[in-house]
Structure formats: structure tokens, C-alpha cells
Amino acid sequence: MRHADLLGERARLTPDKTALVCVPQGTRHSYAELDRRADRMASMWTAVCGFGPGDRVGLLAYNRIEFLDAFFATGKSGIVLVPLGTRLTAHELAHIVSDAGLRALIYDEAFADTVRSLRGMVAIQQWIALDEPAEAGDPRVADLLPATVARSPRPAPDDLCCLLYTSGTTGKPKGVMVPHRMVVWNGYNTVVGWQLRDDDISPIFTPLYHAGGLGAFLVPIVTIGGTIVLHAGFDPAEIWRTVARERCTIILGVPTIYKLLMESPEFAGADLSSVRALMSGGAPLPLYIIEAYQRRGIVFKQGYGLTEVGVNCFAMTIEESVRKKGSIGKPLMFTEARLMSPDSIEMPADQVGELWLRGPHVCAGYWRNAEATAAAIDADGWFHTGDLARRDADGFFYIAGRQKDMLISGGVNIYPAEIEAALLLHPAVKDAAVVGIPDQQWGEIGAAVVVLRESDGATGDELAAFLGERLAKYKIPRRWVFAEALPRTAYGKLVKGPLRDLVLADPGGSGAAS
């Protein structure tokens, strides 16, 4: 691998194959056409705007074809793309824009108000509109694209492709430095590990500004030469119609999305005959969701990844996904995995430890943050994920939760993910989270924050009794608080800091299981 033009290589091999279908427009684009679009975007950056290798360009947009143009143009120009979260406020974006040192920001008209606010907070050389400009004088991408392509030297594998800013559930978001070799390796390994095929058709409805949207399955599908069906947003009815119309074969989502799709009225009558498998990542997948789709004849394959190590690090066969229900599988090829104790001793089978990963898919560290980089990646190249996991005797891994979420009650480790999965089996529970709160006697105790279904009125005592049939007594939460919704990131991950505050602010929360 001497350069990083992934799309160019795919277009060379299968130029006439359908690469992209845009929903709801229904427009279809071949690999050759998509490659020409990315070439023109790269030429706009270098020949028209005058940007050079390593310059950072931000993109604030919903899912649309220009997102793919910009992403794949990085492999043709050396420009570093900085996708920006569409749910962030101007104040939140200002930190990222300043930290990244953007030369330009490309935006769509849905964010005109945000862009106008942002202009007063940060200094950016050029503001470029995808649609109607937020302010007079901002050029439009369509007006800047050159008629002819100006070829630039292709970036090397270790040159940066993107800065992907973490969700910032604790502290300020950090820019993960994603080199091109990490992108390409993710594509190769996902194709092999997940047994993708060139006739696979996969919908993308998760946001492209997130590593999951880009890395699974956009890059892998392009690597193997399949077809992406790109949704502008998340609409369960439209997704189920599209799966049937386009004959989609593999679908990727997070547990929250699968839950919403399952609860939509269209689910019962959805035509799933073309679907080979569902892939889930981003958070532990509750068994009741797996079983609901299995009743429709669809199998789940769970995966695991982080922005910093690539979104696909584990995989299993379809047969294994049934036999090892709840597992994330085995590490992918050339991915090393360890489970380590707090004093860096490797844990034996069936013991929980922090998951460490090493391989060519690990990021280059955090942008302009040497301290955070050193804390995450040790001198031997191991990335310390902060996630707790166990490995069974057959070598299959199971996620136990985040290390920072683990609570120690009376000297015993308790893993909230296990309790949350059990709570979600209760028919009255719509959503649930477990956090640790201080306790004079036990050091910490578990507190559950529960969202009930509208027609149900279960109490803490009832839920504790339900858990008592499934979990050891010491794992059952001592405090119960009921809420209308749980705080989650745009990608469905729980944000537990506010939940602890909610529990501590509610001294009247019901007690149970003393």
C-alpha cells in the first residue's frame, strides 16, 4: 500500500458497479461517478482554495452525497477532514473548530443559524455553503468545483485522513487522529471478519460524522465493491420500506436503533427476506432484542470497536452468533487483545479485566494532546480501552461495561451492564441504567434509573424482585429512580454523569433489596 486513495482503487476495479443509492431521492451513482465527484472535491480544496496536505477542513452536514465526496477526497489530496456533530450547539462546536484549527468549514443550510452564531466565536479563513449561504459572500461548493481535475500527490498510509472528535461524555471532546492506514485496514479486516460480499447492499442511517457511520459499513462496503443505501436521517418506516425495495442484505445499528426499529408499527409486516444478518455495536445488546429479531428469522452478530481503534475489532460467524449469544466474538486478524487487572496482570479465562488492543488499526493518538495520548497508548503500542470484558474458554469475548462505570460495594465488583441487560427483560421497562452512588456502610451502592412504558406502573420493589430471580442479591440496586428518558449521545450511548446527579438529587428514591 503506497497511497491512500481507497475509492480510486475500487473505481479502477469495478467502475460501472452501483456504489450509492441516495434516499429518499432515489438517485443512483456508480463507482466511477463517485470517484469523479471526489476528484473534483479534492481539486477544489487544492487548486481553487489553495489548501495543502495536512490542512484541516470541517464539515457540518446531515448524511448526503457530499459527505462521501469530502471523505474520499482526503485520500486524493492530503487534506484532513473534521466531521462536526450535527446535534452540537455553536458553543460546543467552537471548542472543536478552535482545537482543530480549521482552514475552512463546509456547511449545509440546515445549520445556517448555528454557522451565523459560530462566526462570532472562531476565526476561519473560508466558510463554504453546500446549499443556500448563511451569509452573503459565502461561496457555494457547486460554484467552486473545477471543470477539470488537478491531480495531487496521494497521501501516504500514515498521513492523517480525519480528526474524529469523541463524544465528550467526560470533559472536552478530544480529536482522534485517524491515519489512512487505519481506515484501509478497517475496511480489509471488516470484509474478512464479517464475511462481506461484493453483492452486499447495506443501508446507512447512522450519522456519517461518527466513526460508526464512516467505518461500518461505508468503508468496508466500498472496499469489497458492494452498494451503500444512504439515508438522510432516521425514519423507521422509510428504513423498512428501503430494506425491502433495495433488497438490503446486511444492516448495521446500535441497540437503541434496533429497539426503535423493532417497536415501529412497520416491523411486524416488514419484508426481511433479503437480510442475511444484522450487525450491532456501540453498546451491549440486550438479549430480548436479539430474540425478537430471531423470531423473525434474522440473526444478530455483535461487534466491538472504538473511534480510537477502529469500529470493528471483533467478529464471529453466523453460526457462532447463535451459539455464543451475547458475545462480541474473537479478535479480527492481526488484532491482539488482552484482559488486564488494575496492576497490569493478564487475567485468566472467565475473569473480568480491562480490554487492551494492539494492531495496525489503532489511531495515531489525540490531536495536540500528548498527555491523553500517553495515557491511552502505552510504550508497547497497546491501547487501553477503558472497557471491561471477559473471555470464555473458547476464546470468545464478552463486554462487562465501562471501567469507570464499575462500582465496588462492600469490596465486591458490580458491573452495571449486566444489571441493565436483566432489567430490560422486564416487560414494563422501556430503558434503564445503573450507576454507583456513595454509601457510608458499603462504600458504594447501585442505583437504577428506569424509564417505564406508558401503560405500566412497576415499582422499585417489583423490579428488585424480578432481578432477584436472575441475579445474585448483592447486584440488585438499592435505590430506584424513575425518569421520562435517559440522556444519550447522538449514537445512542448513555451519558451517566447526569444520571448520578439525578439520583443524588432525589432522596425520595425508593429503596429495595437491603
Side-chain angles (χ1 to χ4, degrees), residues 260-378:
L260 292 171
L261 288 171
M262 180 183 76
E263 292 174 346
S264 70
E266 295 77 17
F267 178 64
D271 180 359
L272 306 179
S273 59
S274 63
V275 179
R276 192 167 80 250
L278 303 179
M279 317 296 189
S280 180
L285 181 65
L287 288 179
Y288 81 96
I289 295 180
I290 296 175
E291 291 163 355
Y293 283 91
Q294 285 179 337
R295 287 192 290 271
R296 294 295 315 275
I298 303 297
V299 298
F300 258 109
K301 296 172 71 174
Q302 291 193 72
Y304 170 88
L306 296 171
T307 301
E308 293 92 338
V309 292
V311 294
N312 297 314
C313 300
F314 290 78
M316 65 177 85
T317 65
I318 289 178
E319 181 275 328
E320 289 167 344
S321 71
V322 176
R323 182 167 55 89
K324 295 287 188 177
K325 192 162 52 178
S327 170
I328 59 172
K330 294 179 179 179
L332 293 176
M333 293 181 69
F334 303 106
T335 296
E336 299 175 80
R338 285 178 170 178
L339 297 176
M340 308 299 286
S341 70
D343 49 358
S344 299
I345 296 175
E346 191 154 8
M347 303 298 288
D350 292 320
Q351 295 295 310
V352 172
E354 183 189 3
L355 178 61
W356 293 9
L357 295 171
R358 184 168 66 177
H361 50 82
V362 173
C363 71
Y366 296 104
W367 178 253
R368 293 176 176 171
N369 196 333
E371 182 179 355
T373 299
I377 306 174
D378 66 26

Side-chain angles (χ1 to χ4, degrees), residues 207-228:
L208 285 173
Y209 68 77
H210 189 279
L214 291 172
F217 282 121
L218 175 61
V219 167
I221 287 291
V222 169
T223 301
I224 193 62
T227 301
I228 288 293

Side-chain angles (χ1 to χ4, degrees), residues 101 130 263 434 457 491:
L130 286 168
E263 292 174 346
V434 174
Y491 213 63

Side-chain angles (χ1 to χ4, degrees), residues 398-419:
Y398 300 77
I399 296 298
R402 289 290 291 167
Q403 187 174 47
K404 64 182 178 61
D405 291 338
M406 183 187 77
L407 60 111
I408 303 175
S409 186
V412 179
N413 294 348
I414 298 176
Y415 305 105
E418 178 186 19
I419 306 168

Side-chain angles (χ1 to χ4, degrees), residues 181-269:
R181 52 105 177 140
M182 182 178 174
V183 173
V184 173
W185 190 267
N186 175 73
Y188 291 158
N189 230 353
T190 301
V191 166
V192 174
W194 292 90
Q195 298 96 46
L196 302 186
R197 309 186 312 219
D198 63 359
D199 61 348
D200 271 327
I201 301 170
S202 181
I204 292 181
F205 40 77
T206 52
L208 285 173
Y209 68 77
H210 189 279
L214 291 172
F217 282 121
L218 175 61
V219 167
I221 287 291
V222 169
T223 301
I224 193 62
T227 301
I228 288 293
V229 181
L230 184 64
H231 289 255
F234 179 75
D235 179 339
E238 183 178 74
I239 289 168
W240 287 131
R241 287 194 301 268
T242 303
V243 166
R245 183 179 65 250
E246 299 295 337
R247 307 301 295 162
C248 295
T249 59
I250 53 171
I251 302 173
L252 174 89
V254 297
T256 301
I257 282 176
Y258 283 123
K259 187 171 181 290
L260 292 171
L261 288 171
M262 180 183 76
E263 292 174 346
S264 70
E266 295 77 17
F267 178 64

